[in-house]
Amino acid sequence: MYANAVLSALSQVSMTGALAATAVVVLGVGGLAGASTALRGVSIRVRGTVAGLAVATSACIAVAVWSALRPLPPQLSVQSCLGIAVGLFGVFAAAVCLLRSRGRGRVALAFATATALLACGAEVVNEDLGTFPTLGAVIGHRPPPGALATDFAAVPGPQAAVQTGDPVASVWRRPLRSTRDGMLTHVEIPGAVSGFASRPALLYLPPAYLDSPRAMLPVLVLVAGNPGKPDDWLTLGALAETLTAFAAEHDGLAPVVVVPDALGATDALPLCLDSQLGNVDTYLARDVPDWIAGHLQVDNDPEHRAIGGFSYGGTCSVQLAVRHPDVYPTFVDISGQDEPSLGDHASTVAATFGGDESAFAAVNARDLLAVTSMPQLAGVFVSGSGDEEYRPQQQRMFAAARSAGMNVRYYELPGGHSPQVWGPALARELDWVAERTGLLAQ
């Protein structure tokens, strides 16, 4: 038990803090002193050759790394190159000593010198790249990646150099100074055009967005249920865990995810329409994409954008896709309804359009699909096998979408109208969304 506690404490020792910096100085001074002693009697010309060879080899390594990671810019800084040169100097100096003397003392000093300078150089490079933040990380004992909560002001701004391609994964080269964790933050997305008064949106940025150069990533817009709030995607939809696992599996790549507020209040129900209840349709189809384009450095091609949601959010996703196929050509409808509803059809039409059935039908997705062919859309309908209320509605929407020529699928997962379905459905469909939006190859 005591041994485990000691090992645990050692594994948490920082490799990038003040203690590490002190170790660099001690190892460097000690190693250079040892080298000076070991090389006593060796001509200045030989010593210069050893130093020159170390510097030249370090430069060659930097060029080789740059060539391997092109089109990224050079990844090894002057600091890292200096650290590599110091370590190589220790190795070359030890080799000279061993060639000139076989004495046990000189051999031991040569090995000690090489070890000290190699350790010094390795720590200099580690300080620069941050590859091993703790002593435990050196032997693989590091916590799993996560999504760190932060303020939006801490998110890195636009970068001059980006990695872009179709699919993004085909060109992505993760920088040596790569970000390990994604970011979760909250942002205000005003209803500049719609006038809709929303609460703060939830934003997830994967490691590839935070790296430099960053990847030009697609966007997935998600909508939560009612009653609720954007953060319900964290608690009810396992959003952070799902995206973290996806990014870890794909070398830091994942969609940028924006979860806007489509309610305005926890118990509000404006139905993702432009109606007497509010202009939520314009908010999601105009204000949200405009904010994304103006505040995030992402792929703004509508073909590389998707929308999804659970329950009320699922209904919103298919409604937005049908009404705005040029904005959201890909959707994931999890446990949604077959039309926006306040409980029954008559009261819904009365509250939204003053009882005008034609006005409601003009914006209702199922009515639109009955008279419009939409082969440009692709979507997924998911329902809980035990969801007796929403499952039949999902089946009706799937049938309507398929009749309209959409590229759609329908399936059921174990569970009712609950998080038992919502989180697993997102995790199951994230690869498909990534392929549809140009992140991964189809």
Side-chain angles (χ1 to χ4, degrees):
M1 190 67 121
Y2 178 74
N4 287 338
V6 171
L7 289 174
S8 177
L10 286 174
S11 71
Q12 297 176 36
V13 173
S14 174
M15 292 284 287
T16 59
L19 181 61
T22 301
V24 166
V25 173
V26 171
L27 289 170
V29 171
L32 291 174
S36 177
T37 302
L39 292 173
R40 186 176 298 163
V42 175
S43 68
I44 294 178
R45 179 181 176 183
V46 173
R47 296 187 187 195
T49 300
V50 169
L53 186 59
V55 171
T57 306
S58 175
C60 289
I61 291 173
V63 171
V65 170
W66 171 75
S67 298
L69 294 180
R70 290 175 66 189
L72 293 184
Q75 294 293 293
L76 293 177
S77 67
V78 173
Q79 174 182 326
S80 289
C81 290
L82 179 61
I84 294 171
V86 167
L88 291 173
F89 176 77
V91 173
F92 296 154
V96 169
C97 293
L98 293 177
L99 289 173
R100 299 176 69 90
S101 175
R102 297 295 180 184
R104 290 185 178 179
R106 185 64 64 90
V107 170
L109 182 59
F111 275 112
T113 295
T115 301
L117 291 181
L118 276 173
C120 173
E123 182 53 30
V124 168
V125 175
N126 185 62
E127 284 274 359
D128 185 32
L129 301 182
T131 305
F132 301 105
T134 64
L135 192 60
V138 177
I139 56 174
H141 292 169
R142 64 175 79 208
L148 305 178
T150 187
D151 189 88
F152 185 61
V155 175
Q159 299 183 14
V162 296
Q163 299 187 60
T164 182
D166 191 2
V168 178
S170 67
V171 300
W172 172 243
R173 299 291 184 273
R174 196 166 191 178
L176 291 181
R177 296 173 187 79
S178 60
T179 306
R180 183 169 171 273
D181 301 308
M183 278 188 177
L184 282 172
T185 187
H186 291 89
V187 295
E188 297 283 350
I189 303 181
V193 178
S194 65
F196 180 68
S198 65
R199 296 169 293 176
L202 176 68
L203 173 65
Y204 168 79
L205 299 169
Y209 183 91
L210 305 170
D211 279 336
S212 179
R214 68 166 44 113
M216 289 293 281
L217 300 170
V219 176
L220 170 61
V221 174
L222 292 177
V223 182
N226 165 270
K229 57 188 181 301
D231 279 19
D232 287 348
W233 260 109
L234 297 175
T235 56
L236 304 179
L239 181 66
E241 295 87 346
T242 297
L243 292 169
T244 295
F246 184 92
E249 184 179 345
H250 295 91
D251 207 23
L253 293 172
V256 167
V257 177
V258 181
V259 189
D261 174 32
L263 293 174
T266 299
D267 56 354
L269 196 53
L271 299 181
C272 287
L273 302 170
D274 280 356
S275 72
Q276 296 172 176
L277 300 179
N279 296 327
V280 182
D281 177 87
T282 298
Y283 180 69
L284 293 176
R286 177 73 183 275
D287 290 327
V288 170
D290 284 354
W291 183 90
I292 292 170
H295 294 80
L296 299 176
Q297 191 175 20
V298 294
D299 183 351
N300 283 302
D301 182 351
E303 292 296 320
H304 295 163
R305 186 187 302 129
I307 188 169
F310 63 79
S311 191
Y312 170 82
T315 309
C316 286
S317 70
V318 68
Q319 295 287 327
L320 266 292
V322 170
R323 290 197 298 266
H324 304 280
D326 57 331
V327 180
Y328 297 112
T330 301
F331 68 90
V332 179
D333 179 354
I334 308 170
S335 302
Q337 296 171 286
D338 60 357
E339 68 177 32
S341 178
L342 296 173
D344 64 82
H345 180 81
S347 61
T348 300
V349 177
T352 52
F353 297 102
D356 188 339
E357 286 282 357
S358 62
F360 181 81
V363 296
N364 181 38
R366 192 169 59 150
D367 289 311
L368 292 172
L369 291 174
V371 297
T372 309
S373 177
M374 308 197 83
Q376 72 272 41
L377 291 181
V380 180
F381 295 93
V382 186
S383 178
S385 58
D387 190 346
E388 297 303 327
E389 180 177 353
Y390 285 76
R391 178 168 50 83
Q393 297 185 63
Q394 282 287 75
Q395 292 170 344
R396 287 194 289 270
M397 281 305 298
F398 168 65
R402 186 172 56 180
S403 296
M406 280 192 203
N407 175 13
V408 288
R409 293 178 287 120
Y410 168 82
Y411 62 90
E412 298 172 9
L413 292 176
H417 195 73
S418 71
Q420 185 181 357
V421 172
W422 304 333
L426 176 65
R428 180 166 172 169
E429 293 305 323
L430 202 51
D431 275 286
W432 176 77
V433 169
E435 293 170 4
R436 278 281 301 176
T437 57
L439 182 64
L440 302 180
Q442 296 192 33

